[in-house]
Amino acid sequence: MTDPKEQGDAGTIKPLMKTKTILRNKIHSTLSKKAQAENFEKVAPGTSYWTSKREGQVQLRMGKNPLEDEPPVTVPDLIMSAATKYSHYLAIGSKCKKSWQVLTYIEYYEACRRAAKAFLKVGLERFHGVGIMGINSSEWVIASIGAIMAGGISVGILSSNSPKACQVIAETSEMDVFVVDNDRQLQKVNQIQGYLKHLKAIIQYREDIQKVQPNLYSWKGFLDLADSISDEKLDQIIDTQKPNQCCALVYNQSTSGIPKAIMLSHDNITWTTAATVQSLGYKCPPQGQEVLVSYLPLCFPRIQLLDVWVAISVAGTVYFPSLESGKWSGLPRTPGTGFLMELLREVQPTTFCGIPWVWDRMLDSLKTKHLDSTAFRRRIDRWAMRMGLHTNKRRMMGEIHQPLCFGLAKRLTFEPARKFLGLNHCQQFLNVGMGLPSGTLDFFLSMNMPIMECYGLSECSGLHTVSNLQAYRFLSSGKALPQTHTKVEKDNQNGVGNLSIWGRHVFMGYLRDKQSTETKVDIHGWLHTNDLGFMDFDKFLYFMGNTNDLIKLSSGEMVNPFPIEERVRTRIPIVRYAMLVGQDAPYLCALLTLKKQFKGQERRPMDKALAITTMRTVSL
């Protein structure tokens, strides 16, 4: 990778400007902390745990002694602190063609302030939305933080959303500004902007603008608007923000009908960030610096938490893929290739977050590589994997001594596998999607790559439980974040029941939906998840599905499809996904998708097959 010190002037500022900014930040940070402490004391007593109003304030779920809790801070304080402490450390980088455009933390902070001032110039109002729709990039993150600094609400929008879905989101969030990455997303906004009474500006941050519009700005043209807004005006707006006020909206993508707008406060984001850092083994300068890649959609709170807020908190470096990486012809790729694998090999991340689809592709790539090797090489790999699985499972139970030959297995098999995936510097492997099947977990465990599961809803800022190397149980979602609580209600004979959670990560409420908020959060502040699970003696959580997914047969029997689907995927290795159906039917059916197979050296994928298997519940 190109040395960041040799990079061009992407976002650079003069040394004198840097010094002035740091001094101003130190003074402003002190004043801001005092102001927020005073504001918090005024609003906390007597307020509710939830609200459905965008300008509302909620009571934070503090302990009996608030002095022992993490002090509430705002999002501007979080990035300001990082810019002050780690001003010259590399913060973010985006790849443009073959070169990296990078920003240090002080440049990152200055860019966010410029974006905030530009938002004020185009007319962003307090608690109004800024919609961001596009692939992950430096501009995406800067626009999100800038919107929050300017007193607006950051609204991440999935790039695959239809124009109608964008219209619903824009109307409910009273969106003043749309930020899009290319002309394709711009056309969606153009189709609906006649219905949006609050829309004042559209910003396109990638690709050249093809047709000039009165309210359309390029990214550079947008940032140039910041020159007419003073720092003092922006600082006044930042100082009025309180930790228990809304700063971000997340739309529940899985909800049928109109999506619910989930309000997250400053404290939701900053407290959950601090708790996550405490639970996971992140490095922080000067001891070391985390390196991360951001490729999963940032509109999901769990992804944004890990890729943006945690990275800022630990002063990590986040790399975004190039624009060209998202363009795929649809032709089959050779295992071990593709933009993600190439990015990982170039960047060498220290922590990697994947979803089941990604882990499955990596597993397939390693297995294909294994089959292509010599018979002697395969025997060595099988021996090393047996030792890896046995050693890591013993390690879970507290065994700390490794076999004498473990180092040899590591050198011969584990390290080459990591290097092949671009993860040879990686210390943490996180699964941020649905739970992985036991076969996938076993395989990576045998490769000395324990994948840490986690659990959480958008309504709890994305995370509630996490696993780490010191607290790991097979098939478990880990332990709850510090100072949070988990309750299992109405459990059956197996201990499986409805999960409820409590903590400062629980959301403020659904925007303009008082009824749904009252149903989701009770008067004591407990969030009722509708998820099923149980906790073992050591407080490890095991996720077992959702009550809304239960299937009712014609006989009246209620069936939880989650464990059956897991068992099918485990017992039939060729099955990639399984979905149980049979609502109001006398029996269950399973829809199965089969894994791609490769024929010898040809690398030609066989056609996917869809099998429908009928089975009676008693046989499962």
Side-chain angles (χ1 to χ4, degrees):
M1 186 185 304
T2 309
D3 188 344
K5 296 179 181 178
E6 299 176 0
Q7 291 292 333
D9 58 349
T12 55
I13 48 180
K14 298 178 180 179
L16 181 59
M17 181 70 74
K18 292 182 181 180
T19 305
K20 284 184 176 180
T21 304
I22 293 174
L23 292 175
R24 186 182 71 237
N25 289 347
K26 289 180 179 179
I27 297 172
H28 177 63
S29 179
T30 303
L31 295 175
S32 181
K33 298 281 186 182
K34 291 179 180 178
Q36 286 176 358
E38 292 173 357
N39 288 334
F40 177 70
E41 290 176 359
K42 292 177 182 178
V43 302
T47 56
S48 173
Y49 284 121
W50 61 265
T51 181
S52 59
K53 299 179 180 179
R54 68 181 68 249
E55 70 279 2
Q57 300 175 17
V58 295
Q59 179 180 349
L60 303 184
R61 293 163 174 80
M62 309 286 282
K64 294 182 179 180
N65 185 2
L67 297 177
E68 297 178 357
D69 290 324
E70 188 79 18
V73 296
T74 62
V75 166
D77 275 332
L78 178 65
I79 187 171
M80 191 187 309
S81 176
T84 304
K85 295 178 184 177
Y86 311 108
S87 58
H88 298 295
Y89 283 91
L90 196 59
I92 53 176
S94 289
K95 195 168 187 179
C96 183
K97 296 182 179 179
K98 294 185 178 181
S99 63
W100 286 94
Q101 296 180 340
V102 296
L103 297 177
T104 63
Y105 267 94
I106 190 63
E107 294 168 348
Y108 188 15
Y109 178 60
E110 280 292 335
C112 293
R113 287 182 64 90
R114 283 188 64 81
K117 290 191 284 186
F119 280 129
L120 293 175
K121 180 63 178 178
V122 298
L124 177 62
E125 298 181 36
R126 191 79 166 96
F127 298 115
H128 280 218
V130 173
I132 310 171
M133 183 167 56
I135 65 171
N136 298 8
S137 66
S138 300
E139 294 88 350
W140 200 109
V141 178
I142 290 169
S144 176
I145 298 175
I148 295 173
M149 282 184 169
I153 297 176
S154 172
V155 186
I157 304 174
L158 200 61
S159 297
S160 58
N161 275 4
S162 66
K164 183 61 179 179
C166 294
Q167 179 183 341
V168 172
I169 292 172
E171 289 175 342
T172 55
S173 63
E174 296 185 8
M175 195 170 292
D176 284 343
V177 185
F178 249 113
V179 182
V180 298
D181 66 341
N182 57 30
D183 186 70
R184 179 171 171 268
Q185 305 298 343
L186 174 63
Q187 296 311 314
K188 294 181 184 178
V189 181
N190 286 339
Q191 290 181 42
I192 63 173
Q193 68 171 315
Y195 302 97
L196 307 180
K197 61 181 180 180
H198 296 284
L199 187 63
K200 298 179 174 114
I202 307 171
I203 297 107
Q204 183 176 325
Y205 63 82
R206 285 196 172 184
E207 297 183 359
D208 295 330
I209 294 176
Q210 297 184 10
K211 185 178 180 181
V212 178
Q213 297 177 201
N215 61 342
L216 177 62
Y217 301 88
S218 67
W219 182 252
K220 184 180 182 302
F222 167 69
L223 291 182
D224 288 342
L225 300 175
D227 296 333
S228 60
I229 303 294
S230 67
D231 286 323
E232 290 73 18
K233 181 176 180 179
L234 177 59
D235 289 337
Q236 289 174 1
I237 294 174
I238 292 175
D239 286 339
T240 61
Q241 298 178 24
K242 300 174 185 178
N244 58 351
Q245 291 177 323
C246 180
C247 70
L249 281 183
V250 177
Y251 281 81
N252 194 337
Q253 304 291 339
S254 62
T255 304
S256 58
I258 299 177
K260 291 185 174 65
I262 299 165
M263 295 192 294
L264 298 181
S265 68
H266 290 267
D267 188 69
N268 284 149
I269 292 173
T270 57
W271 182 90
T272 310
T273 298
T276 304
V277 171
Q278 185 178 343
S279 298
L280 294 173
Y282 287 102
K283 298 186 294 290
C284 193
Q287 288 75 23
Q289 190 176 21
E290 291 287 343
V291 177
L292 305 102
V293 294
S294 177
Y295 66 101
L296 297 171
L298 288 171
C299 57
F300 295 106
R302 186 181 303 176
I303 307 302
Q304 191 175 137
L305 177 75
L306 296 170
D307 287 0
V308 179
W309 309 119
V310 167
I312 291 173
S313 179
V314 300
T317 305
V318 181
Y319 291 97
F320 301 99
S322 64
L323 177 63
E324 292 76 18
S325 65
K327 298 177 180 178
W328 180 40
S329 64
L331 297 175
R333 289 195 179 109
T334 301
T337 62
F339 86 91
L340 180 57
M341 301 292 277
E342 293 168 2
L343 181 63
L344 293 176
R345 289 166 184 158
E346 182 177 7
V347 170
Q348 300 290 319
T350 57
T351 295
F352 176 71
C353 300
I355 54 176
W357 184 89
V358 172
W359 293 117
D360 284 344
R361 295 308 182 273
M362 287 186 169
L363 184 150
D364 290 344
S365 295
L366 287 173
K367 283 187 174 180
T368 303
K369 181 175 180 292
H370 173 77
L371 292 174
D372 285 346
S373 59
T374 64
F376 180 68
R377 175 80 244 182
R378 290 197 296 271
R379 290 182 63 185
I380 291 176
D381 288 343
R382 285 195 295 267
W383 164 79
M385 291 173 68
R386 285 194 300 268
M387 178 175 290
L389 183 61
H390 177 72
T391 302
N392 281 298
K393 285 196 172 181
R394 288 173 65 90
R395 186 183 295 169
M396 288 183 216
M397 308 312 296
E399 179 89 23
I400 59 174
H401 300 290
Q402 296 179 350
L404 294 177
C405 295
F406 190 81
L408 181 62
K410 185 177 180 182
R411 185 171 182 178
L412 293 176
T413 299
F414 305 153
E415 290 179 355
R418 287 192 181 201
K419 187 175 181 180
F420 173 73
L421 297 175
L423 300 174
N424 46 314
H425 291 170
C426 200
Q427 303 298 317
Q428 293 188 110
F429 308 90
L430 303 176
N431 176 42
V432 293
M434 292 295 291
L436 290 170
S438 58
T440 303
L441 292 172
D442 266 341
F443 178 85
F444 283 99
L445 203 58
S446 70
M447 283 290 184
N448 199 33
M449 290 190 287
I451 299 176
M452 307 301 165
E453 296 275 14
C454 54
Y455 165 78
L457 290 74
S458 298
E459 285 88 347
C460 64
S461 308
L463 276 182
H464 177 63
T465 66
V466 292
S467 302
N468 58 49
L469 292 174
Q470 287 71 43
Y472 182 84
R473 290 290 185 276
F474 194 65
L475 296 177
S476 167
S477 300
K479 291 187 176 182
L481 297 175
Q483 299 180 351
T484 64
H485 303 280
T486 311
K487 186 166 56 175
V488 180
E489 301 176 302
K490 300 179 181 178
D491 51 331
N492 59 21
Q493 64 272 17
N494 297 320
V496 178
N498 297 321
L499 299 177
S500 296
I501 59 182
W502 191 95
R504 281 169 63 179
H505 57 334
V506 174
F507 76 135
M508 298 178 66
Y510 295 117
L511 178 62
R512 297 163 62 179
D513 194 344
K514 182 178 178 181
Q515 183 178 358
S516 296
T517 305
E518 286 180 321
T519 303
K520 200 71 173 178
V521 183
D522 62 28
I523 59 173
H524 302 294
W526 284 91
L527 171 66
H528 300 284
T529 66
N530 294 328
D531 286 334
L532 298 171
F534 68 92
M535 298 180 69
D536 65 12
F537 182 78
D538 294 319
K539 302 298 181 183
F540 283 90
L541 179 68
Y542 293 80
F543 173 75
M544 299 299 292
N546 188 278
T547 56
N548 296 327
D549 296 331
L550 294 179
I551 298 173
K552 184 178 181 181
L553 299 178
S554 58
S555 62
E557 180 183 1
M558 301 295 293
V559 179
N560 182 4
F562 184 83
I564 300 176
E565 293 167 351
E566 162 67 13
R567 186 176 300 180
V568 169
R569 289 189 297 173
T570 303
R571 299 290 178 86
I572 312 176
I574 198 174
V575 172
R576 185 177 298 281
Y577 301 111
M579 184 178 73
L580 216 63
V581 295
Q583 181 69 24
D584 298 325
Y587 50 80
L588 294 174
C589 293
L591 305 178
L592 310 178
T593 60
L594 307 184
K595 295 180 180 178
K596 284 183 179 180
Q597 300 295 315
F598 292 89
K599 299 173 63 176
Q601 302 295 328
E602 296 179 4
R603 306 287 191 199
R604 294 178 182 173
M606 298 172 63
D607 293 335
K608 280 186 177 180
L610 177 64
I612 304 179
T613 304
T614 304
M615 59 194 80
R616 295 190 181 276
T617 56
V618 293
S619 66
L620 296 172

